Amino acid sequence: HTGDLHAPTGLGHAVRPMKSVSSHPVLTTPFIEVEERPKLVRRRTTTDCLFTELTHSPLHDLAPVATLGLTTRVTHSNSVAVSLDQLGLAFEPQRDSTLILVQGGYTAALVKAAGTAVLCALMYGFHLGNMNPAAPAMRADLGIEAGVENDNAWAFCVSIFCLGALLGCSLVPMVADSIGRRKTILLISTVYLLGSALEAASGVVPRPASPLERSSIGLCLLLAGRAVCGVASGSSTVVVPMYLGEISPPHLRGALGTCFQLTCCTGILLAQIVGLPALLGRSGLWSVYLALGALPAASLLVLHSFLLESPRWLAGRSDAEAIRAQAILAALRGEPLSSLAVVQELDLMQMAAGPIAGGGGDGGGLRSLLSDSVARRGLFICVTCHVCQQFSGINNATARASGP
């Protein structure tokens, strides 16, 4: 056929006239076999899922670029026009501004992951309040009697916890972005174990010839343990809330976010009760009392299989990690792997990751955060609340201890 064909195509222009077959020479060169490329695993996108859901359309079996009357498939706000009659519907204002269809709630995987992660908050609260009730017995056994110099030494032993926390919360964001939230939480638990062991060892130091020497060794071990636990505690305040926010669905993010502070206060309460002189806060038993801080850390390491990696962190890494993130997100939401809600949420995570796709980072840093007016207002509110909290003297109230 030599006539002009003007059927519309997906390229937006008419097909050129076909020449006669006889005008082409016969090919005599044999074909060269080309090695077939390996098939790459590709994650299904939102468009793939939407196209799959349109099986009821009579035009579903046609290629998107060959739909009669449309030069291409038209999409807008996840609405797809599959015919000329429906073309205007795709551009109507959306009454519902919800981007993700929220389904389910507290799934087993979500509860296990969140419950395992907040064990770090329990350790943080315990180490924050364990120097108060047993202080008289600890000072008596360590030879830190009443006096200006001894009081200063004890005050430094208590406050070095805050210095370690400052160091931990400053360095842990880089670690979390580099190795992931899950490995960072496991590393923090190991640091808690080390710090608790040093604190407990200060009460079981072998008795040397000089009581002063024993006091110095015990005080140095206690100082080292407090500093190490401070690093772990400061790291916990950064990584654990971030992890809870990244694994939680939008409608549960606030509820799970408060679990960190609630668990921290529970740890403080337990430390105040168990450290009473009637229980473990007395001479000869306070080392056991300090060693109790290692129990949540050991429990977290045992339950490490419940601690799933953050899908938000995986989504900004690579295509292979994005496939893994989709599987984890489906488990956290209790949805099938190919669920449209799961794919939509993962797409939003990848779009939010932006520049960090393919290798970690902070997605633009502080400059991009300050350039966003909405994020800037939230940042100002959070920083103001934290500054006011420090000037309220809550740390002094928590760490205050009576004299020996």
Side-chain angles (χ1 to χ4, degrees), residues 244-400:
L244 293 176
E246 291 179 350
I247 67 173
S248 305
H251 66 298
L252 298 178
R253 195 162 294 157
L256 288 180
T258 58
C259 289
F260 178 85
Q261 191 65 30
L262 179 62
T263 310
C264 173
C265 294
T266 303
I268 296 175
L269 178 62
L270 291 176
Q272 297 290 325
I273 294 176
V274 179
L276 292 175
L279 296 178
L280 297 179
R282 51 186 172 177
S283 178
L285 292 179
W286 58 266
S287 60
V288 179
Y289 166 58
L290 296 180
L292 292 179
L295 292 181
S299 301
L300 194 151
L301 295 176
V302 171
L303 301 175
H304 67 92
S305 59
F306 294 158
L307 197 66
L308 303 178
E309 184 55 85
S310 167
R312 167 65 176 80
W313 180 77
L314 290 173
R317 303 290 292 177
S318 61
D319 293 339
E321 297 290 0
I323 297 175
R324 181 185 169 198
Q326 183 177 356
I328 294 177
L329 191 60
L332 291 172
R333 302 295 180 264
E335 297 286 338
L337 185 62
S338 58
S339 171
L340 180 60
V342 171
V343 177
Q344 281 183 322
E345 186 174 358
L346 185 59
D347 283 346
L348 292 178
M349 289 180 178
Q350 288 183 305
M351 288 187 294
I356 71 173
D362 57 1
L366 183 62
R367 180 178 299 178
S368 63
L369 180 64
L370 295 177
S371 62
D372 189 347
S373 59
V374 177
R376 187 168 59 247
R377 287 194 296 267
L379 179 64
F380 174 77
I381 293 173
C382 291
V383 172
T384 303
C385 290
H386 281 287
V387 171
C388 293
Q389 179 187 14
Q390 296 303 313
F391 280 99
S392 68
I394 186 62
N395 289 337
N396 293 334
T398 303
R400 180 186 178 276

Side-chain angles (χ1 to χ4, degrees), residues 2-357:
T2 58
D4 293 346
L5 295 179
H6 298 281
T9 66
L11 300 179
H13 59 272
V15 180
R16 294 181 179 179
M18 297 177 59
K19 296 182 180 181
S20 174
V21 177
S22 60
S23 61
H24 292 277
V26 179
L27 296 176
T28 58
T29 305
F31 290 101
I32 301 176
E33 295 184 359
V34 181
E35 183 179 357
E36 184 179 358
R37 294 183 178 180
K39 295 183 179 180
L40 300 178
V41 180
R42 185 175 66 88
R43 185 182 63 80
R44 296 183 65 200
T45 62
T46 304
T47 306
D48 297 332
C49 292
L50 289 172
F51 184 74
T52 305
E53 296 293 332
L54 294 174
T55 55
H56 62 279
S57 171
L59 303 178
H60 179 267
D61 57 340
L62 299 178
V65 296
T67 302
L68 296 178
L70 291 177
T71 59
T72 184
R73 186 174 295 273
V74 180
T75 64
H76 180 263
S77 298
N78 287 339
S79 298
V80 182
V82 294
S83 68
L84 287 176
D85 296 336
Q86 299 180 4
L87 183 59
L89 299 178
F91 295 93
E92 287 187 353
Q94 301 293 322
R95 296 182 180 180
D96 187 6
S97 60
T98 303
L99 295 178
I100 301 173
L101 179 62
V102 177
Q103 296 179 353
Y106 292 100
T107 62
L110 179 62
V111 172
K112 291 178 182 178
T116 305
V118 295
L119 288 176
C120 284
L122 186 66
M123 291 180 281
Y124 165 51
F126 183 85
H127 289 287
L128 189 62
N130 64 357
M131 297 295 286
N132 187 347
M138 294 168 65
R139 293 187 62 170
D141 289 351
L142 292 175
I144 309 176
E145 304 295 338
V148 177
E149 294 184 0
N150 290 338
D151 289 343
N152 291 334
W154 181 254
F156 180 69
C157 185
V158 175
S159 60
I160 197 173
F161 177 87
C162 298
L163 296 178
L166 180 63
L167 178 63
C169 66
S170 301
L171 299 179
V172 77
M174 296 182 293
V175 178
D177 287 338
S178 176
I179 66 177
R181 307 345 183 191
R182 180 179 183 272
K183 292 182 179 179
T184 303
I185 293 177
L186 295 177
L187 179 61
I188 292 172
S189 300
T190 306
V191 177
Y192 271 123
L193 273 177
L194 177 60
S196 299
L198 291 173
E199 288 182 351
S202 64
V204 293
V205 177
R207 293 184 176 273
S210 171
L212 181 61
E213 183 180 351
R214 179 180 183 273
S215 175
S216 301
I217 296 175
L219 183 60
C220 290
L221 288 175
L222 187 60
L223 279 170
R226 290 288 293 172
V228 172
C229 288
V231 173
S233 297
S235 303
S236 299
T237 60
V238 176
V239 177
V240 176
M242 177 171 55
Y243 176 77
L244 293 176
E246 291 179 350
I247 67 173
S248 305
H251 66 298
L252 298 178
R253 195 162 294 157
L256 288 180
T258 58
C259 289
F260 178 85
Q261 191 65 30
L262 179 62
T263 310
C264 173
C265 294
T266 303
I268 296 175
L269 178 62
L270 291 176
Q272 297 290 325
I273 294 176
V274 179
L276 292 175
L279 296 178
L280 297 179
R282 51 186 172 177
S283 178
L285 292 179
W286 58 266
S287 60
V288 179
Y289 166 58
L290 296 180
L292 292 179
L295 292 181
S299 301
L300 194 151
L301 295 176
V302 171
L303 301 175
H304 67 92
S305 59
F306 294 158
L307 197 66
L308 303 178
E309 184 55 85
S310 167
R312 167 65 176 80
W313 180 77
L314 290 173
R317 303 290 292 177
S318 61
D319 293 339
E321 297 290 0
I323 297 175
R324 181 185 169 198
Q326 183 177 356
I328 294 177
L329 191 60
L332 291 172
R333 302 295 180 264
E335 297 286 338
L337 185 62
S338 58
S339 171
L340 180 60
V342 171
V343 177
Q344 281 183 322
E345 186 174 358
L346 185 59
D347 283 346
L348 292 178
M349 289 180 178
Q350 288 183 305
M351 288 187 294
I356 71 173

